[in-house]
Amino acid sequence: MLAMKPSMEKLRWIMEQLRDPVTGCPWDIKQDFASIVPHTLEEAYEVADAIEQGDFRELEKELGDLLFQVVFYSQLGKEEKLFDFDSVVAAICEKLIRRHPHVFAKTEFSSEAQIKANWENEKIKERQEKNDRQSLSILADIPKSLPALSQAAKIQKRCAHVGFDWHQIDDVFAKVAEEVEEVREHLHGDSQELTAELGDLMFAVVNLCRHAKQDPEAVLRQANQKFTKRFHGVESKVASSGQGFEQHSLEQLEDYWQEIKADEQP
């Protein structure tokens, strides 16, 4: 098997060897479903980072790492007689075909909005079936481990699907402005109330991103990268001055920042 060309079969064989209770790797042997979740999240973020950096050679490697996580879970499922890799593949094949009737069943939809609505309706059916057809909240199965911005966007999307949503983006912007004022009112008051108002403001901003058809997680990551790049420029100017940060006033640092911003203009 070692001489076998790279394939899913070879990857699955490698996983089996790593988990062999006698000859396997001690670290891999002691893992369980819960213990590898942090590694899965880390690998997913590394995939996203490689894409954002435009580093496709690194992306190739990171996608392999992420695929290995799926194989790892599948091996654990096989050992516990819960599921295996083949059943995982079968499940996603069935789901994709069922959720795309306009591709595989020649069902006709008149717009992209109808396609998305059908997708959401199919997911609702799946949630109902998973919960023995009991009437549960449409928010019941949103993962608690999602990043807060992504979780907020998913909550809002679910509510919008049943009509609980602003119709105009201007109304959403007005809500953001309202939340800003409420934060201002509590800036110097009770810290718990301020925390609550800041949360409301952030939730409203996520809603604004959603209505603007922007992914709030991606928007903030992009802002983080832009700030980091500019701050590296500030650090460079501070180093060139021959003085440390502590010897600069905030006004001087702000001047550096504005110079860097000006250099970015086309």
Side-chain angles (χ1 to χ4, degrees):
M1 181 66 75
L2 286 175
M4 182 180 179
K5 292 183 179 180
S7 65
M8 278 307 306
E9 287 305 314
K10 184 171 184 177
L11 182 57
R12 293 163 67 178
W13 175 81
I14 291 172
M15 185 72 257
E16 290 176 352
Q17 302 310 302
L18 292 173
R19 286 282 296 179
D20 187 287
V22 178
T23 61
C25 170
W27 186 88
D28 291 278
I29 293 171
K30 71 179 183 180
Q31 301 309 311
D32 58 26
F33 286 110
S35 69
I36 60 175
V37 167
H39 302 285
T40 307
L41 295 175
E42 180 180 344
E43 298 299 352
Y45 279 117
E46 289 179 356
V47 165
D49 187 64
I51 293 172
E52 290 171 357
Q53 300 301 323
D55 189 343
F56 295 104
R57 178 171 295 183
E58 189 65 22
L59 176 60
E60 179 183 44
K61 300 175 183 177
E62 298 300 346
L63 286 171
D65 291 341
L66 186 58
L67 175 60
F68 180 70
Q69 298 295 305
V70 177
V71 172
F72 207 141
Y73 287 117
S74 299
Q75 178 64 27
L76 294 175
K78 180 179 179 181
E79 293 170 4
E80 298 185 24
K81 294 181 172 54
L82 300 172
F83 55 84
D84 59 20
F85 184 80
D86 289 337
S87 66
V88 170
V89 173
I92 187 59
C93 288
E94 185 278 330
K95 180 188 293 184
L96 289 173
I97 291 173
R98 175 167 41 79
R99 287 187 178 182
H100 294 83
H102 53 295
V103 176
F104 300 104
K106 304 307 179 185
T107 301
E108 294 187 4
F109 295 110
S110 61
S111 66
E112 184 178 347
Q114 284 192 354
I115 293 174
K116 290 182 178 179
N118 177 75
W119 178 276
E120 291 299 327
N121 289 333
E122 285 294 328
K123 291 202 294 186
I124 290 173
K125 292 177 184 177
E126 291 167 11
R127 288 195 292 272
Q128 290 174 338
E129 292 172 2
K130 184 171 68 175
N131 294 290
D132 297 325
R133 301 185 180 277
Q134 295 177 359
S135 179
L136 298 179
S137 169
I138 61 170
L139 308 179
D141 64 338
I142 293 178
K144 302 296 187 295
S145 59
L146 275 177
L149 292 176
S150 297
Q151 189 181 67
K154 186 171 282 290
I155 289 171
Q156 294 168 3
K157 183 180 177 182
R158 291 273 182 90
C159 293
H161 186 66
V162 295
F164 191 71
D165 192 18
W166 299 103
H167 296 301
Q168 303 294 332
I169 193 171
D170 289 340
D171 295 328
V172 184
F173 190 84
K175 184 63 177 177
V176 172
E178 176 187 326
E179 298 296 350
V180 168
E181 289 305 313
E182 292 185 3
V183 168
R184 191 195 308 275
E185 292 173 8
H186 291 86
L187 274 179
H188 305 291
D190 182 81
S191 62
Q192 289 186 339
E193 291 182 357
L194 178 59
T195 297
E197 295 301 341
L198 285 169
D200 290 345
L201 174 58
M202 295 175 72
F203 194 83
V205 171
V206 169
N207 207 7
L208 183 62
C209 290
R210 185 176 60 83
H211 276 263
K213 302 189 185 315
Q214 301 286 329
D215 175 9
E217 193 75 28
V219 166
L220 185 55
R221 285 172 65 86
Q222 183 176 341
N224 290 342
Q225 291 170 2
K226 180 171 65 176
F227 181 93
T228 299
K229 180 181 178 182
R230 288 177 177 174
F231 190 74
H232 285 164
V234 172
E235 289 177 314
S236 179
K237 287 182 178 292
V238 168
S240 297
S241 74
Q243 297 178 318
F245 269 90
E246 68 279 359
Q247 295 170 292
H248 285 74
S249 67
L250 179 58
E251 289 74 16
Q252 289 174 309
L253 296 175
E254 176 63 20
D255 286 342
Y256 290 158
W257 182 271
Q258 294 302 327
E259 289 172 13
I260 292 163
K261 284 183 63 177
D263 290 341
E264 293 174 351
Q265 300 302 317

